[in-house]
Coordinates of all heavy atoms in Angstrom, one line a residue:
L210 N -30.1 67.0 -12.0 CA -28.9 67.4 -12.8 C -29.2 67.7 -14.2 O -28.6 68.5 -14.9 CB -27.9 66.2 -12.7 CG -27.2 66.0 -11.4 CD1 -26.3 64.7 -11.4 CD2 -26.3 67.2 -11.0
R211 N -30.3 67.0 -14.7 CA -30.7 67.2 -16.1 C -31.2 68.6 -16.3 O -31.1 69.2 -17.4 CB -31.7 66.2 -16.5 CG -31.2 64.8 -16.6 CD -32.3 63.7 -16.8 NE -32.9 63.8 -18.0 CZ -34.0 63.1 -18.4 NH1 -34.4 62.1 -17.6 NH2 -34.5 63.2 -19.6
V212 N -31.8 69.2 -15.3 CA -32.3 70.6 -15.3 C -31.1 71.5 -15.5 O -31.2 72.5 -16.2 CB -33.1 70.9 -14.1 CG1 -33.5 72.4 -14.1 CG2 -34.4 70.0 -14.0
L213 N -30.0 71.2 -14.8 CA -28.9 72.1 -14.8 C -28.0 71.9 -16.1 O -27.4 72.9 -16.5 CB -28.0 71.8 -13.6 CG -28.7 72.0 -12.2 CD1 -27.8 71.5 -11.1 CD2 -29.0 73.5 -12.0
N214 N -28.0 70.7 -16.7 CA -27.1 70.6 -17.8 C -27.8 70.6 -19.2 O -27.3 70.2 -20.2 CB -26.3 69.2 -17.7 CG -27.1 68.0 -18.2 OD1 -28.3 68.0 -18.0 ND2 -26.5 67.0 -18.7
G215 N -29.0 71.1 -19.2 CA -29.7 71.3 -20.4 C -30.3 70.0 -21.0 O -30.4 69.8 -22.2
N216 N -30.5 69.0 -20.1 CA -31.1 67.7 -20.5 C -30.2 66.9 -21.4 O -30.6 66.1 -22.3 CB -32.4 67.9 -21.1 CG -33.3 66.7 -21.0 OD1 -33.2 65.9 -20.0 ND2 -34.2 66.4 -22.0
L217 N -28.8 67.2 -21.3 CA -27.9 66.4 -22.1 C -27.6 65.1 -21.4 O -28.1 64.8 -20.3 CB -26.6 67.2 -22.3 CG -26.8 68.4 -23.2 CD1 -25.5 69.2 -23.2 CD2 -27.2 68.1 -24.6
K218 N -26.7 64.3 -22.0 CA -26.5 62.9 -21.5 C -25.8 62.9 -20.1 O -24.9 63.7 -19.9 CB -25.7 62.1 -22.4 CG -25.4 60.7 -22.0 CD -24.7 59.8 -23.1 CE -23.3 60.2 -23.2 NZ -22.6 59.3 -24.2
I219 N -26.3 62.0 -19.2 CA -25.7 61.8 -17.9 C -25.5 60.3 -17.7 O -26.4 59.5 -18.0 CB -26.5 62.4 -16.8 CG1 -26.7 63.9 -16.9 CG2 -26.0 62.0 -15.4 CD1 -27.6 64.5 -15.9
M220 N -24.3 59.9 -17.3 CA -24.0 58.5 -17.1 C -23.5 58.2 -15.7 O -22.6 58.9 -15.2 CB -23.0 58.0 -18.1 CG -22.8 56.5 -18.0 SD -21.7 55.9 -19.3 CE -20.1 56.5 -18.8
L221 N -24.1 57.3 -15.0 CA -23.7 56.9 -13.7 C -23.3 55.4 -13.7 O -24.0 54.5 -14.2 CB -24.9 57.0 -12.7 CG -24.6 56.9 -11.2 CD1 -23.8 58.1 -10.8 CD2 -25.9 56.8 -10.4
S222 N -22.1 55.1 -13.3 CA -21.6 53.7 -13.4 C -20.8 53.4 -12.1 O -20.3 54.2 -11.4 CB -20.6 53.6 -14.6 OG -19.5 54.5 -14.5
T223 N -20.7 52.1 -11.9 CA -19.9 51.5 -10.8 C -18.7 50.9 -11.4 O -18.7 50.2 -12.4 CB -20.7 50.4 -10.0 OG1 -21.1 49.4 -10.9 CG2 -22.0 51.0 -9.4
E224 N -17.6 51.1 -10.7 CA -16.3 50.6 -11.2 C -16.2 49.1 -11.0 O -15.6 48.4 -11.9 CB -15.2 51.3 -10.3 CG -13.8 50.9 -10.8 CD -12.7 51.5 -10.0 OE1 -12.9 52.6 -9.5 OE2 -11.6 51.0 -9.8
T225 N -16.7 48.5 -10.0 CA -16.5 47.1 -9.7 C -17.3 46.2 -10.7 O -16.8 45.2 -11.2 CB -17.0 46.7 -8.3 OG1 -18.4 47.2 -8.2 CG2 -16.2 47.3 -7.3
T226 N -18.5 46.6 -11.2 CA -19.3 45.8 -12.1 C -19.3 46.3 -13.5 O -19.7 45.6 -14.4 CB -20.7 45.7 -11.6 OG1 -21.3 47.0 -11.6 CG2 -20.8 45.1 -10.2
N227 N -18.8 47.6 -13.7 CA -18.8 48.2 -15.0 C -20.2 48.4 -15.6 O -20.4 48.5 -16.7 CB -17.9 47.4 -16.0 CG -16.5 47.4 -15.7 OD1 -16.0 48.5 -15.3 ND2 -15.8 46.3 -15.9
R228 N -21.2 48.4 -14.6 CA -22.6 48.6 -15.1 C -22.8 50.1 -15.1 O -22.4 50.8 -14.3 CB -23.5 47.9 -14.1 CG -23.5 46.4 -14.1 CD -24.3 45.8 -13.0 NE -24.2 44.4 -13.0 CZ -24.6 43.6 -12.0 NH1 -25.1 44.2 -10.9 NH2 -24.5 42.3 -12.0
S229 N -23.5 50.5 -16.2 CA -23.7 51.9 -16.4 C -25.2 52.2 -16.5 O -26.0 51.4 -17.0 CB -23.0 52.4 -17.6 OG -21.6 52.2 -17.6
F230 N -25.6 53.4 -16.1 CA -27.0 53.9 -16.3 C -26.9 55.2 -17.1 O -26.3 56.2 -16.7 CB -27.6 54.1 -14.9 CG -27.6 52.9 -14.0 CD1 -26.5 52.7 -13.1 CD2 -28.6 52.0 -14.0 CE1 -26.5 51.6 -12.3 CE2 -28.6 50.9 -13.2 CZ -27.5 50.7 -12.3
H231 N -27.5 55.1 -18.3 CA -27.5 56.3 -19.1 C -28.8 57.0 -19.0 O -29.9 56.4 -19.1 CB -27.3 55.9 -20.6 CG -26.0 55.2 -20.8 ND1 -24.9 55.8 -21.3 CD2 -25.6 53.9 -20.6 CE1 -23.9 55.0 -21.4 NE2 -24.3 53.8 -21.0
F232 N -28.7 58.4 -19.0 CA -29.9 59.2 -18.9 C -29.7 60.3 -20.0 O -28.7 61.0 -20.0 CB -30.1 59.8 -17.6 CG -30.3 58.8 -16.5 CD1 -29.2 58.2 -15.8 CD2 -31.6 58.4 -16.1 CE1 -29.4 57.3 -14.8 CE2 -31.7 57.4 -15.1 CZ -30.6 56.9 -14.5
Q233 N -30.7 60.4 -20.9 CA -30.6 61.4 -21.9 C -31.9 61.9 -22.3 O -32.9 61.2 -22.4 CB -29.9 60.8 -23.1 CG -29.5 61.9 -24.2 CD -28.6 61.3 -25.3 OE1 -28.5 60.1 -25.4 NE2 -28.0 62.1 -26.1

Side-chain angles (χ1 to χ4, degrees):
L210 291 173
R211 291 171 69 182
V212 174
L213 299 174
N214 82 326
N216 205 29
L217 294 175
K218 184 173 72 173
I219 296 176
M220 184 173 73
L221 193 68
S222 61
T223 59
E224 181 179 334
T225 52
T226 62
N227 292 323
R228 292 173 182 163
S229 301
F230 303 92
H231 298 265
F232 299 87
Q233 189 170 14

